[in-house]
PDB file of all heavy atoms in Angstrom:
ATOM      1  N   SER A 298      56.434  91.623  77.767  1.00  0.00           N
ATOM      2  CA  SER A 298      55.697  91.997  78.966  1.00  0.00           C
ATOM      3  C   SER A 298      55.474  90.760  79.815  1.00  0.00           C
ATOM      4  O   SER A 298      54.987  89.730  79.321  1.00  0.00           O
ATOM      5  CB  SER A 298      54.350  92.632  78.589  1.00  0.00           C
ATOM      6  OG  SER A 298      53.679  93.106  79.744  1.00  0.00           O
ATOM      7  N   PHE A 299      55.819  90.878  81.093  1.00  0.00           N
ATOM      8  CA  PHE A 299      55.752  89.728  81.991  1.00  0.00           C
ATOM      9  C   PHE A 299      55.220  90.178  83.343  1.00  0.00           C
ATOM     10  O   PHE A 299      55.811  91.037  84.004  1.00  0.00           O
ATOM     11  CB  PHE A 299      57.138  89.108  82.154  1.00  0.00           C
ATOM     12  CG  PHE A 299      57.135  87.777  82.851  1.00  0.00           C
ATOM     13  CD1 PHE A 299      56.857  86.609  82.160  1.00  0.00           C
ATOM     14  CD2 PHE A 299      57.414  87.692  84.210  1.00  0.00           C
ATOM     15  CE1 PHE A 299      56.865  85.378  82.803  1.00  0.00           C
ATOM     16  CE2 PHE A 299      57.425  86.473  84.871  1.00  0.00           C
ATOM     17  CZ  PHE A 299      57.147  85.308  84.154  1.00  0.00           C
ATOM     18  N   ALA A 300      54.076  89.632  83.749  1.00  0.00           N
ATOM     19  CA  ALA A 300      53.484  89.968  85.044  1.00  0.00           C
ATOM     20  C   ALA A 300      54.238  89.246  86.152  1.00  0.00           C
ATOM     21  O   ALA A 300      54.528  88.055  86.037  1.00  0.00           O
ATOM     22  CB  ALA A 300      52.021  89.572  85.061  1.00  0.00           C
ATOM     23  N   ASN A 301      54.534  89.959  87.210  1.00  0.00           N
ATOM     24  CA  ASN A 301      55.319  89.378  88.299  1.00  0.00           C
ATOM     25  C   ASN A 301      54.414  88.724  89.337  1.00  0.00           C
ATOM     26  O   ASN A 301      54.431  89.064  90.512  1.00  0.00           O
ATOM     27  CB  ASN A 301      56.196  90.459  88.946  1.00  0.00           C
ATOM     28  CG  ASN A 301      57.196  89.854  89.916  1.00  0.00           C
ATOM     29  OD1 ASN A 301      57.581  88.698  89.773  1.00  0.00           O
ATOM     30  ND2 ASN A 301      57.611  90.638  90.897  1.00  0.00           N
ATOM     31  N   ARG A 302      53.595  87.777  88.878  1.00  0.00           N
ATOM     32  CA  ARG A 302      52.740  87.039  89.806  1.00  0.00           C
ATOM     33  C   ARG A 302      53.525  85.869  90.391  1.00  0.00           C
ATOM     34  O   ARG A 302      54.263  85.188  89.662  1.00  0.00           O
ATOM     35  CB  ARG A 302      51.487  86.525  89.085  1.00  0.00           C
ATOM     36  CG  ARG A 302      50.524  87.629  88.666  1.00  0.00           C
ATOM     37  CD  ARG A 302      49.234  87.045  88.125  1.00  0.00           C
ATOM     38  NE  ARG A 302      49.458  86.413  86.834  1.00  0.00           N
ATOM     39  CZ  ARG A 302      49.235  87.016  85.666  1.00  0.00           C
ATOM     40  NH1 ARG A 302      48.820  88.270  85.637  1.00  0.00           N
ATOM     41  NH2 ARG A 302      49.456  86.378  84.537  1.00  0.00           N
ATOM     42  N   PRO A 303      53.401  85.611  91.688  1.00  0.00           N
ATOM     43  CA  PRO A 303      54.199  84.553  92.316  1.00  0.00           C
ATOM     44  C   PRO A 303      53.859  83.168  91.772  1.00  0.00           C
ATOM     45  O   PRO A 303      52.697  82.838  91.546  1.00  0.00           O
ATOM     46  CB  PRO A 303      53.837  84.665  93.807  1.00  0.00           C
ATOM     47  CG  PRO A 303      52.502  85.357  93.815  1.00  0.00           C
ATOM     48  CD  PRO A 303      52.509  86.281  92.642  1.00  0.00           C
ATOM     49  N   VAL A 304      54.909  82.384  91.550  1.00  0.00           N
ATOM     50  CA  VAL A 304      54.755  81.014  91.065  1.00  0.00           C
ATOM     51  C   VAL A 304      55.619  80.111  91.932  1.00  0.00           C
ATOM     52  O   VAL A 304      56.784  80.415  92.197  1.00  0.00           O
ATOM     53  CB  VAL A 304      55.190  80.891  89.584  1.00  0.00           C
ATOM     54  CG1 VAL A 304      55.120  79.433  89.136  1.00  0.00           C
ATOM     55  CG2 VAL A 304      54.313  81.761  88.702  1.00  0.00           C
ATOM     56  N   LYS A 305      55.047  79.009  92.384  1.00  0.00           N
ATOM     57  CA  LYS A 305      55.811  78.073  93.194  1.00  0.00           C
ATOM     58  C   LYS A 305      56.894  77.400  92.371  1.00  0.00           C
ATOM     59  O   LYS A 305      56.728  77.196  91.168  1.00  0.00           O
ATOM     60  CB  LYS A 305      54.877  77.025  93.806  1.00  0.00           C
ATOM     61  CG  LYS A 305      53.862  77.612  94.786  1.00  0.00           C
ATOM     62  CD  LYS A 305      52.930  76.552  95.328  1.00  0.00           C
ATOM     63  CE  LYS A 305      51.913  77.171  96.292  1.00  0.00           C
ATOM     64  NZ  LYS A 305      50.960  76.163  96.811  1.00  0.00           N
ATOM     65  N   LEU A 306      57.976  77.036  93.042  1.00  0.00           N
ATOM     66  CA  LEU A 306      59.134  76.483  92.356  1.00  0.00           C
ATOM     67  C   LEU A 306      58.774  75.267  91.516  1.00  0.00           C
ATOM     68  O   LEU A 306      59.288  75.088  90.420  1.00  0.00           O
ATOM     69  CB  LEU A 306      60.221  76.118  93.383  1.00  0.00           C
ATOM     70  CG  LEU A 306      61.557  75.637  92.811  1.00  0.00           C
ATOM     71  CD1 LEU A 306      62.185  76.728  91.949  1.00  0.00           C
ATOM     72  CD2 LEU A 306      62.511  75.248  93.943  1.00  0.00           C
ATOM     73  N   TRP A 307      57.864  74.416  92.014  1.00  0.00           N
ATOM     74  CA  TRP A 307      57.516  73.199  91.289  1.00  0.00           C
ATOM     75  C   TRP A 307      56.400  73.436  90.261  1.00  0.00           C
ATOM     76  O   TRP A 307      55.919  72.510  89.631  1.00  0.00           O
ATOM     77  CB  TRP A 307      57.086  72.104  92.266  1.00  0.00           C
ATOM     78  CG  TRP A 307      55.946  72.483  93.153  1.00  0.00           C
ATOM     79  CD1 TRP A 307      54.621  72.345  92.899  1.00  0.00           C
ATOM     80  CD2 TRP A 307      56.043  73.090  94.443  1.00  0.00           C
ATOM     81  NE1 TRP A 307      53.871  72.811  93.929  1.00  0.00           N
ATOM     82  CE2 TRP A 307      54.725  73.277  94.916  1.00  0.00           C
ATOM     83  CE3 TRP A 307      57.121  73.484  95.256  1.00  0.00           C
ATOM     84  CZ2 TRP A 307      54.455  73.846  96.158  1.00  0.00           C
ATOM     85  CZ3 TRP A 307      56.843  74.045  96.483  1.00  0.00           C
ATOM     86  CH2 TRP A 307      55.521  74.224  96.921  1.00  0.00           C
ATOM     87  N   GLU A 308      56.014  74.705  90.101  1.00  0.00           N
ATOM     88  CA  GLU A 308      55.000  75.050  89.105  1.00  0.00           C
ATOM     89  C   GLU A 308      55.547  76.049  88.092  1.00  0.00           C
ATOM     90  O   GLU A 308      54.869  76.984  87.681  1.00  0.00           O
ATOM     91  CB  GLU A 308      53.773  75.637  89.799  1.00  0.00           C
ATOM     92  CG  GLU A 308      53.061  74.672  90.727  1.00  0.00           C
ATOM     93  CD  GLU A 308      51.871  75.318  91.420  1.00  0.00           C
ATOM     94  OE1 GLU A 308      51.953  76.520  91.744  1.00  0.00           O
ATOM     95  OE2 GLU A 308      50.872  74.616  91.631  1.00  0.00           O
ATOM     96  N   VAL A 309      56.789  75.809  87.692  1.00  0.00           N
ATOM     97  CA  VAL A 309      57.453  76.726  86.762  1.00  0.00           C
ATOM     98  C   VAL A 309      56.664  76.864  85.465  1.00  0.00           C
ATOM     99  O   VAL A 309      56.652  77.919  84.835  1.00  0.00           O
ATOM    100  CB  VAL A 309      58.892  76.236  86.466  1.00  0.00           C
ATOM    101  CG1 VAL A 309      59.558  77.126  85.433  1.00  0.00           C
ATOM    102  CG2 VAL A 309      59.712  76.208  87.746  1.00  0.00           C
ATOM    103  N   TRP A 310      55.984  75.790  85.070  1.00  0.00           N
ATOM    104  CA  TRP A 310      55.215  75.824  83.831  1.00  0.00           C
ATOM    105  C   TRP A 310      54.140  76.908  83.841  1.00  0.00           C
ATOM    106  O   TRP A 310      53.711  77.394  82.798  1.00  0.00           O
ATOM    107  CB  TRP A 310      54.574  74.463  83.578  1.00  0.00           C
ATOM    108  CG  TRP A 310      53.672  74.003  84.695  1.00  0.00           C
ATOM    109  CD1 TRP A 310      54.010  73.320  85.812  1.00  0.00           C
ATOM    110  CD2 TRP A 310      52.263  74.219  84.789  1.00  0.00           C
ATOM    111  NE1 TRP A 310      52.926  73.086  86.614  1.00  0.00           N
ATOM    112  CE2 TRP A 310      51.820  73.624  86.011  1.00  0.00           C
ATOM    113  CE3 TRP A 310      51.322  74.834  83.977  1.00  0.00           C
ATOM    114  CZ2 TRP A 310      50.500  73.643  86.425  1.00  0.00           C
ATOM    115  CZ3 TRP A 310      50.000  74.854  84.388  1.00  0.00           C
ATOM    116  CH2 TRP A 310      49.602  74.273  85.597  1.00  0.00           C
ATOM    117  N   LYS A 311      53.721  77.309  85.049  1.00  0.00           N
ATOM    118  CA  LYS A 311      52.696  78.356  85.150  1.00  0.00           C
ATOM    119  C   LYS A 311      53.239  79.738  84.786  1.00  0.00           C
ATOM    120  O   LYS A 311      52.462  80.680  84.584  1.00  0.00           O
ATOM    121  CB  LYS A 311      52.115  78.394  86.566  1.00  0.00           C
ATOM    122  CG  LYS A 311      51.215  77.217  86.898  1.00  0.00           C
ATOM    123  CD  LYS A 311      50.524  77.412  88.232  1.00  0.00           C
ATOM    124  CE  LYS A 311      49.559  76.275  88.539  1.00  0.00           C
ATOM    125  NZ  LYS A 311      48.890  76.458  89.844  1.00  0.00           N
ATOM    126  N   MET A 312      54.563  79.844  84.716  1.00  0.00           N
ATOM    127  CA  MET A 312      55.158  81.142  84.368  1.00  0.00           C
ATOM    128  C   MET A 312      54.732  81.594  82.987  1.00  0.00           C
ATOM    129  O   MET A 312      54.694  82.794  82.706  1.00  0.00           O
ATOM    130  CB  MET A 312      56.684  81.057  84.456  1.00  0.00           C
ATOM    131  CG  MET A 312      57.208  80.872  85.872  1.00  0.00           C
ATOM    132  SD  MET A 312      59.010  80.784  85.947  1.00  0.00           S
ATOM    133  CE  MET A 312      59.443  82.451  85.467  1.00  0.00           C
ATOM    134  N   VAL A 313      54.414  80.639  82.133  1.00  0.00           N
ATOM    135  CA  VAL A 313      53.950  81.001  80.790  1.00  0.00           C
ATOM    136  C   VAL A 313      52.702  81.863  80.879  1.00  0.00           C
ATOM    137  O   VAL A 313      52.492  82.782  80.079  1.00  0.00           O
ATOM    138  CB  VAL A 313      53.678  79.733  79.951  1.00  0.00           C
ATOM    139  CG1 VAL A 313      53.105  80.104  78.585  1.00  0.00           C
ATOM    140  CG2 VAL A 313      54.956  78.928  79.795  1.00  0.00           C
ATOM    141  N   GLY A 314      51.879  81.595  81.885  1.00  0.00           N
ATOM    142  CA  GLY A 314      50.667  82.380  82.069  1.00  0.00           C
ATOM    143  C   GLY A 314      50.933  83.817  82.477  1.00  0.00           C
ATOM    144  O   GLY A 314      50.041  84.659  82.399  1.00  0.00           O
ATOM    145  N   ASN A 315      52.149  84.094  82.926  1.00  0.00           N
ATOM    146  CA  ASN A 315      52.511  85.454  83.314  1.00  0.00           C
ATOM    147  C   ASN A 315      52.901  86.320  82.124  1.00  0.00           C
ATOM    148  O   ASN A 315      53.018  87.543  82.248  1.00  0.00           O
ATOM    149  CB  ASN A 315      53.667  85.440  84.318  1.00  0.00           C
ATOM    150  CG  ASN A 315      53.208  85.027  85.711  1.00  0.00           C
ATOM    151  OD1 ASN A 315      52.031  84.794  85.940  1.00  0.00           O
ATOM    152  ND2 ASN A 315      54.140  84.944  86.644  1.00  0.00           N
ATOM    153  N   VAL A 316      53.148  85.696  80.990  1.00  0.00           N
ATOM    154  CA  VAL A 316      53.511  86.461  79.791  1.00  0.00           C
ATOM    155  C   VAL A 316      52.271  87.152  79.237  1.00  0.00           C
ATOM    156  O   VAL A 316      51.249  86.512  78.981  1.00  0.00           O
ATOM    157  CB  VAL A 316      54.126  85.555  78.711  1.00  0.00           C
ATOM    158  CG1 VAL A 316      54.490  86.373  77.474  1.00  0.00           C
ATOM    159  CG2 VAL A 316      55.360  84.845  79.249  1.00  0.00           C
ATOM    160  N   ARG A 317      52.346  88.456  79.064  1.00  0.00           N
ATOM    161  CA  ARG A 317      51.229  89.213  78.502  1.00  0.00           C
ATOM    162  C   ARG A 317      51.409  89.277  76.981  1.00  0.00           C
ATOM    163  O   ARG A 317      51.920  90.265  76.436  1.00  0.00           O
ATOM    164  CB  ARG A 317      51.183  90.622  79.098  1.00  0.00           C
ATOM    165  CG  ARG A 317      51.094  90.683  80.622  1.00  0.00           C
ATOM    166  CD  ARG A 317      50.910  92.127  81.051  1.00  0.00           C
ATOM    167  NE  ARG A 317      50.985  92.317  82.479  1.00  0.00           N
ATOM    168  CZ  ARG A 317      52.013  92.891  83.109  1.00  0.00           C
ATOM    169  NH1 ARG A 317      53.076  93.327  82.408  1.00  0.00           N
ATOM    170  NH2 ARG A 317      52.018  93.044  84.406  1.00  0.00           N
ATOM    171  N   PHE A 318      50.981  88.230  76.298  1.00  0.00           N
ATOM    172  CA  PHE A 318      51.196  88.143  74.854  1.00  0.00           C
ATOM    173  C   PHE A 318      50.491  89.262  74.103  1.00  0.00           C
ATOM    174  O   PHE A 318      50.968  89.706  73.056  1.00  0.00           O
ATOM    175  CB  PHE A 318      50.704  86.779  74.333  1.00  0.00           C
ATOM    176  CG  PHE A 318      51.552  85.617  74.782  1.00  0.00           C
ATOM    177  CD1 PHE A 318      51.133  84.805  75.831  1.00  0.00           C
ATOM    178  CD2 PHE A 318      52.766  85.350  74.172  1.00  0.00           C
ATOM    179  CE1 PHE A 318      51.912  83.737  76.256  1.00  0.00           C
ATOM    180  CE2 PHE A 318      53.552  84.289  74.588  1.00  0.00           C
ATOM    181  CZ  PHE A 318      53.125  83.477  75.622  1.00  0.00           C
ATOM    182  N   ASN A 319      49.377  89.740  74.631  1.00  0.00           N
ATOM    183  CA  ASN A 319      48.623  90.790  73.945  1.00  0.00           C
ATOM    184  C   ASN A 319      49.323  92.139  73.970  1.00  0.00           C
ATOM    185  O   ASN A 319      48.925  93.064  73.251  1.00  0.00           O
ATOM    186  CB  ASN A 319      47.227  90.924  74.565  1.00  0.00           C
ATOM    187  CG  ASN A 319      47.266  91.380  76.013  1.00  0.00           C
ATOM    188  OD1 ASN A 319      48.143  90.962  76.774  1.00  0.00           O
ATOM    189  ND2 ASN A 319      46.331  92.213  76.412  1.00  0.00           N
ATOM    190  N   ARG A 320      50.368  92.265  74.783  1.00  0.00           N
ATOM    191  CA  ARG A 320      51.095  93.538  74.855  1.00  0.00           C
ATOM    192  C   ARG A 320      52.377  93.527  74.023  1.00  0.00           C
ATOM    193  O   ARG A 320      52.944  94.594  73.752  1.00  0.00           O
ATOM    194  CB  ARG A 320      51.433  93.878  76.317  1.00  0.00           C
ATOM    195  CG  ARG A 320      50.204  94.088  77.173  1.00  0.00           C
ATOM    196  CD  ARG A 320      50.540  94.551  78.575  1.00  0.00           C
ATOM    197  NE  ARG A 320      51.166  95.860  78.604  1.00  0.00           N
ATOM    198  CZ  ARG A 320      50.520  97.020  78.470  1.00  0.00           C
ATOM    199  NH1 ARG A 320      49.211  97.028  78.283  1.00  0.00           N
ATOM    200  NH2 ARG A 320      51.170  98.162  78.529  1.00  0.00           N
ATOM    201  N   ILE A 321      52.832  92.358  73.643  1.00  0.00           N
ATOM    202  CA  ILE A 321      54.086  92.251  72.882  1.00  0.00           C
ATOM    203  C   ILE A 321      53.904  92.865  71.497  1.00  0.00           C
ATOM    204  O   ILE A 321      52.986  92.510  70.751  1.00  0.00           O
ATOM    205  CB  ILE A 321      54.532  90.789  72.774  1.00  0.00           C
ATOM    206  CG1 ILE A 321      54.836  90.226  74.170  1.00  0.00           C
ATOM    207  CG2 ILE A 321      55.758  90.657  71.871  1.00  0.00           C
ATOM    208  CD1 ILE A 321      55.154  88.755  74.194  1.00  0.00           C
ATOM    209  N   GLY A 322      54.771  93.814  71.161  1.00  0.00           N
ATOM    210  CA  GLY A 322      54.694  94.500  69.876  1.00  0.00           C
ATOM    211  C   GLY A 322      53.763  95.699  69.875  1.00  0.00           C
ATOM    212  O   GLY A 322      53.604  96.361  68.843  1.00  0.00           O
ATOM    213  N   LYS A 323      53.166  96.005  71.016  1.00  0.00           N
ATOM    214  CA  LYS A 323      52.237  97.137  71.099  1.00  0.00           C
ATOM    215  C   LYS A 323      52.987  98.461  71.001  1.00  0.00           C
ATOM    216  O   LYS A 323      53.994  98.669  71.673  1.00  0.00           O
ATOM    217  CB  LYS A 323      51.473  97.072  72.427  1.00  0.00           C
ATOM    218  CG  LYS A 323      50.399  98.141  72.577  1.00  0.00           C
ATOM    219  CD  LYS A 323      49.625  97.941  73.880  1.00  0.00           C
ATOM    220  CE  LYS A 323      48.533  98.994  74.024  1.00  0.00           C
ATOM    221  NZ  LYS A 323      47.777  98.818  75.299  1.00  0.00           N
ATOM    222  N   LEU A 324      52.495  99.362  70.162  1.00  0.00           N
ATOM    223  CA  LEU A 324      53.118 100.668  69.995  1.00  0.00           C
ATOM    224  C   LEU A 324      52.704 101.604  71.126  1.00  0.00           C
ATOM    225  O   LEU A 324      51.574 101.524  71.630  1.00  0.00           O
ATOM    226  CB  LEU A 324      52.748 101.273  68.643  1.00  0.00           C
ATOM    227  CG  LEU A 324      53.194 100.483  67.406  1.00  0.00           C
ATOM    228  CD1 LEU A 324      52.770 101.212  66.141  1.00  0.00           C
ATOM    229  CD2 LEU A 324      54.717 100.273  67.420  1.00  0.00           C
ATOM    230  N   ILE A 325      53.604 102.487  71.495  1.00  0.00           N
ATOM    231  CA  ILE A 325      53.346 103.473  72.543  1.00  0.00           C
ATOM    232  C   ILE A 325      53.064 104.811  71.857  1.00  0.00           C
ATOM    233  O   ILE A 325      53.957 105.400  71.240  1.00  0.00           O
ATOM    234  CB  ILE A 325      54.544 103.597  73.492  1.00  0.00           C
ATOM    235  CG1 ILE A 325      54.852 102.231  74.116  1.00  0.00           C
ATOM    236  CG2 ILE A 325      54.273 104.642  74.578  1.00  0.00           C
ATOM    237  CD1 ILE A 325      56.175 102.189  74.855  1.00  0.00           C
ATOM    238  N   HIS A 326      51.842 105.264  71.937  1.00  0.00           N
ATOM    239  CA  HIS A 326      51.436 106.436  71.167  1.00  0.00           C
ATOM    240  C   HIS A 326      51.574 107.740  71.966  1.00  0.00           C
ATOM    241  O   HIS A 326      51.411 107.765  73.186  1.00  0.00           O
ATOM    242  CB  HIS A 326      49.968 106.287  70.728  1.00  0.00           C
ATOM    243  CG  HIS A 326      49.730 105.114  69.836  1.00  0.00           C
ATOM    244  ND1 HIS A 326      50.168 105.075  68.527  1.00  0.00           N
ATOM    245  CD2 HIS A 326      49.104 103.936  70.056  1.00  0.00           C
ATOM    246  CE1 HIS A 326      49.820 103.935  67.973  1.00  0.00           C
ATOM    247  NE2 HIS A 326      49.176 103.210  68.886  1.00  0.00           N
ATOM    248  N   ALA A 327      51.868 108.799  71.244  1.00  0.00           N
ATOM    249  CA  ALA A 327      51.844 110.141  71.828  1.00  0.00           C
ATOM    250  C   ALA A 327      50.393 110.591  71.939  1.00  0.00           C
ATOM    251  O   ALA A 327      49.599 110.361  71.034  1.00  0.00           O
ATOM    252  CB  ALA A 327      52.637 111.116  70.962  1.00  0.00           C
ATOM    253  N   GLU A 328      50.052 111.187  73.073  1.00  0.00           N
ATOM    254  CA  GLU A 328      48.680 111.659  73.311  1.00  0.00           C
ATOM    255  C   GLU A 328      48.773 113.034  73.964  1.00  0.00           C
ATOM    256  O   GLU A 328      49.228 113.160  75.085  1.00  0.00           O
ATOM    257  CB  GLU A 328      47.941 110.701  74.260  1.00  0.00           C
ATOM    258  CG  GLU A 328      47.844 109.262  73.771  1.00  0.00           C
ATOM    259  CD  GLU A 328      46.663 109.033  72.873  1.00  0.00           C
ATOM    260  OE1 GLU A 328      45.953 110.027  72.558  1.00  0.00           O
ATOM    261  OE2 GLU A 328      46.437 107.884  72.484  1.00  0.00           O
ATOM    262  N   ASP A 329      48.326 114.076  73.246  1.00  0.00           N
ATOM    263  CA  ASP A 329      48.438 115.409  73.826  1.00  0.00           C
ATOM    264  C   ASP A 329      47.139 115.928  74.402  1.00  0.00           C
ATOM    265  O   ASP A 329      47.090 116.994  75.021  1.00  0.00           O
ATOM    266  CB  ASP A 329      49.006 116.407  72.819  1.00  0.00           C
ATOM    267  CG  ASP A 329      48.067 116.685  71.645  1.00  0.00           C
ATOM    268  OD1 ASP A 329      46.929 116.188  71.665  1.00  0.00           O
ATOM    269  OD2 ASP A 329      48.482 117.409  70.729  1.00  0.00           O
TER     270      ASP A 329
END
Side-chain angles (χ1 to χ4, degrees):
S298 185
F299 191 82
N301 190 26
R302 291 187 290 264
V304 176
K305 296 178 181 178
L306 185 61
W307 57 88
E308 296 178 325
V309 176
W310 58 273
K311 288 188 177 180
M312 292 180 67
V313 176
N315 284 358
V316 180
R317 303 186 187 107
F318 291 101
N319 64 322
R320 297 186 65 78
I321 297 174
K323 184 176 181 181
L324 298 181
I325 302 169
H326 298 288
E328 301 274 4
D329 67 6

